[in-house]
Amino acid sequence: GLTEEEIVNNGYRIYTELDQNYQASMQVIYSNVSLFPVAEDGTMAESGSVALDPKTGGVRALVGRVNSAEGSTFRSFNYATQSARSPGSTIKPLAVYGPAIQENLINPSTVIPDTEFTQTFEDGTTWSPTNYGNVVSGGAESARVALYKSDNLPAVRVYQEMQKRSVDVMGYLEKMGFNPAASYTPEDIKNLAFAIGGVSSGPTVLEETRAFATFANNGNYHGGYFIDRIEDAAGKVVFQHQSNP
């Protein structure tokens, strides 16, 4: 590999997948600090964003923090590639509905109860999730509607059935680029709360983006990448990205 000093001082040319129009548009949004909430103590919310081509995995745009044009230092913390956070409800298509459909447990029209649910643990404690706003409709809805509304109770019930049938959830997540030692652990997956984003660590924005791109690419995963090739001062290609879906 090349050292940082070699790249900086030896005239290498680096060709990336960056789209300048996408990048500029994303940067304009992230430079508008009024779009991001501020806590009572004055701390501004941070965020990161990634846009990539689902057919290749090439990253077209990335912003790693709010208002990065001001006050950022070289290699400052990047909230798009370095910040691991709970995925919240974005886990539902990746770990619940997608695998459940693939395993023929459900289809988009499958009716799922949206009723009260309580899990009792060995120590006698209980867990009783609800939908957003502590709402429990007490009825039922199709998987399509449950996903559209992002209701929690249907997702938990589907995930419970997946556990009963020993669906290899980790296998699906690994195929979409998640690291079982960091993003989602085997311990996380055993917990029913995993179906609605209950994790010990979580993924980065880049990991989530490339995983969702799998849906847009007919189920074929591409790891997100930034650099297409590197040439030395004489024009010789010293690095070329190889895509392996």
Side-chain angles (χ1 to χ4, degrees), residues 16 22 37 73 87 91 104 110 116 119 122 151 170 178 181 188 192-193 199-201 206 210 213-214 217 222 231 245:
T16 73
Y22 290 178
T73 59
I91 194 64
N104 294 317
T110 299
E116 291 185 358
Q119 181 183 27
E122 292 181 357
D151 281 339
M170 181 62 80
F178 292 109
D188 288 334
L192 283 179
V199 298
S200 54
S201 178
L206 177 59
R210 66 192 189 190
T214 305
N217 195 35
H222 285 281
E231 297 177 357

Side-chain angles (χ1 to χ4, degrees), residues 172 187 200 203 221 225:
Y172 279 102
E187 289 71 26
S200 54
Y221 167 79
Y225 71 98

Side-chain angles (χ1 to χ4, degrees), residues 12-69:
Y12 286 98
R13 290 187 289 271
I14 302 175
Y15 297 84
T16 73
E17 291 292 317
L18 181 73
D19 183 301
Q20 293 186 359
N21 292 325
Y22 290 178
Q23 183 66 35
S25 297
M26 191 179 289
Q27 198 72 57
V28 166
I29 294 171
Y30 270 73
S31 295
N32 185 353
V33 296
S34 67
L35 297 176
F36 299 89
V38 179
E40 292 183 358
D41 64 0
T43 303
M44 178 176 292
E46 275 295 355
S47 176
S49 185
V50 178
L52 60 77
D53 184 343
K55 295 188 180 302
T56 66
V59 174
R60 298 291 188 241
L62 183 148
V63 174
R65 61 192 309 117
V66 175
N67 203 18
S68 59

Side-chain angles (χ1 to χ4, degrees), residues 104-117:
N104 294 317
L105 269 66
I106 63 170
N107 62 59
S109 299
T110 299
V111 176
I112 308 168
D114 183 30
T115 54
E116 291 185 358
F117 178 94

